[in-house]
């Protein structure tokens, strides 16, 4: 009597058939198919959606913004024929005028800083602009005595005037302007540049304000 070979369980037969069929599929197909499946799964769970850029805050006069280790609050925007102690000098024959942003600034860093264009704290100055109106860093001075090279002691608020020369048609009394306030990255120099500095300035906040025509201060 001839012995009958034992019959493989159904599960094993199915696995064997699947394995044989899989061996016949070209490897590139497997790679492509697997990648597609992974991408489909990732997309289904939102993995392909880029991380949305953080929205730049939109502020109004009197609201504060903390950036570049400074707390900045725009108090107002003034337009005048000239401004003593501003560090900018309009040409009256050309119809030039002085546009000034008044703001309170508090140094939130642990050491004193100097607000001056082109220095370690240049983002403090260069990042303050009026969108569509100014293209250069402003003249910067203390509001109370017109002192240049402003020293900012930690946690001591200082009222500052940032001023530009503008053309007669650039901005008018009652115009609404959009001011940019800076944010930047704090670094510590280890080689050529020594000490603390702030670099890579970006727009940290917008402040919308109305221009106020004033007599020559």
């Amino acid at each position: 009597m001839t012995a009958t070979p034992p019959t493989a369980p159904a599960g094993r037969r199915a696995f064997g058939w699947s394995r044989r069929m899989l061996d016949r599929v070209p490897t590139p197909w497997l790679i492509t198919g697997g990648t597609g499946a992974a991408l489909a799964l990732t997309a289904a769970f939102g993995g392909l959606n880029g991380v949305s850029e953080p929205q730049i805050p939109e502020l109004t006069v009197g609201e504060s913004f903390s950036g570049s280790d400074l707390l900045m609050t725009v108090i107002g925007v003034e337009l005048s024929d000239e401004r003593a102690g501003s560090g900018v000098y309009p040409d009256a024959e050309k119809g030039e005028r002085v546009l000034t942003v008044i703001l309170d600034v508090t140094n939130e860093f642990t050491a004193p800083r100097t607000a001056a264009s082109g220095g370690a704290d240049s983002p403090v100055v260069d990042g303050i602009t009026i969108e569509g109106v100014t293209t250069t860093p402003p003249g910067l001075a203390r509001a109370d005595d017109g002192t240049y090279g402003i020293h900012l002691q930690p946690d001591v608020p200082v009222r500052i005037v940032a001023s530009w020369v503008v053309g007669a048609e650039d901005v008018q009394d009652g115009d609404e302007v959009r001011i940019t306030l800076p944010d930047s990255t704090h670094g510590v120099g280890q080689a050529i540049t020594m000490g603390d500095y702030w670099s890579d300035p970006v727009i940290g906040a917008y402040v919308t304000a109305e221009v106020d025509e004033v007599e020559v201060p």
Side-chain angles (χ1 to χ4, degrees), residues 12-25:
R12 183 177 297 177
R13 291 199 304 274
F15 174 79
W17 178 85
S18 299
R19 180 60 182 270
R20 290 193 298 275
M21 293 300 101
L22 190 62
D23 289 342
R24 297 180 183 180
V25 178

Side-chain angles (χ1 to χ4, degrees), residues 93-104:
E93 293 184 357
K94 295 180 180 179
E96 293 176 340
R97 310 194 73 194
V98 178
L99 184 63
T100 299
V101 173
I102 303 167
L103 64 162
D104 288 339

Side-chain angles (χ1 to χ4, degrees), residues 39 48 66 149 190:
L39 289 175
L48 292 182
S66 182
Q190 300 294 332

